[in-house]
Amino acid sequence: IGMMGTKITSIYMKAEEEHAAVSQITDDQYEKEVDQKMKETADSGFDLKALLDKTGKNSDWKSFGDALLYAFSKQMDVAVGIVFQNTDDVFSPTATFAYYNDEMPQSFKIGEGLSGQVAKDRKPMFLNDLPSKSLMIVSGLGQIEVNNLAIIPILKDDNAVGLIEIATFKPFENGFVNKIDEISNAIGGVAPL
């Protein structure tokens, strides 16, 4: 009985080890599949082709900026937006979306303020959960706070030829954030010269 018990225990232990190894592989495969599905879902949230179809047919920055902001508004809850054009390292506003103010947005030089820094670094900036009353929009119904801001360089040949500022009520979706470098360069590819 002693030898038989040892043999049974050994067989049982080996079966448990094999089961644990199979479970680990299954868990690892499951995690990889879940990660892949989440990435696919996140990436499907923003349609770059649709954006480019609506913006690539404009020969001046005003119509280009208007089309760009309109195209963004069709894909996300844009509360307000501004497009700036770079001329000799000075970024001037060329188009707005739902912008309500007596004065146009101010021009800025490369490196000045957050927008100027984004242009200098050629890297987008996302600011979520802005402090209360930092950014307000006005409609016929009154004033509403906007909590999220994206500042996106428009890149052509690794130079910031323009800049987009978009404010939204909801945080930016992963599909948009994950594609932002591709979006930035693609928009620059269709921007007017």
Side-chain angles (χ1 to χ4, degrees), residues 42-43 45-46 72 76 126 150 152 166 172-181 183:
D43 286 345
F46 190 84
F72 270 115
M76 55 181 58
F126 293 93
I152 307 161
I166 298 173
F172 296 96
E173 294 180 6
N174 288 341
F176 179 69
V177 173
N178 291 341
K179 287 184 173 180
I180 198 61
D181 290 331
I183 293 167

Side-chain angles (χ1 to χ4, degrees), residues 157-173:
D157 300 324
D158 203 35
N159 294 310
V161 296
L163 191 103
I164 309 161
E165 292 186 19
I166 298 173
T168 63
F169 296 109
K170 294 190 274 185
F172 296 96
E173 294 180 6

Side-chain angles (χ1 to χ4, degrees), residues 16-86:
E16 281 297 310
E17 288 173 2
E18 289 175 1
H19 176 70
V22 168
S23 294
Q24 183 64 37
I25 290 170
T26 304
D27 289 345
D28 289 345
Q29 288 172 336
Y30 178 75
E31 272 186 50
K32 285 179 184 176
E33 287 178 15
V34 167
D35 287 346
Q36 180 64 29
K37 292 293 181 194
M38 287 179 68
K39 185 177 182 323
E40 288 170 8
T41 301
D43 286 345
S44 67
F46 190 84
D47 187 353
L48 180 57
K49 183 181 179 324
L51 182 86
L52 296 176
D53 286 346
K54 294 190 184 327
T55 59
K57 300 172 183 92
N58 298 286
S59 60
D60 65 276
W61 270 87
K62 169 72 174 126
S63 58
F64 169 74
D66 286 338
L68 182 60
L69 292 170
Y70 179 76
F72 270 115
S73 76
K74 289 298 180 189
Q75 294 197 49
M76 55 181 58
D77 295 326
V78 175
V80 64
I82 304 169
V83 172
F84 294 88
Q85 177 186 4
N86 181 1

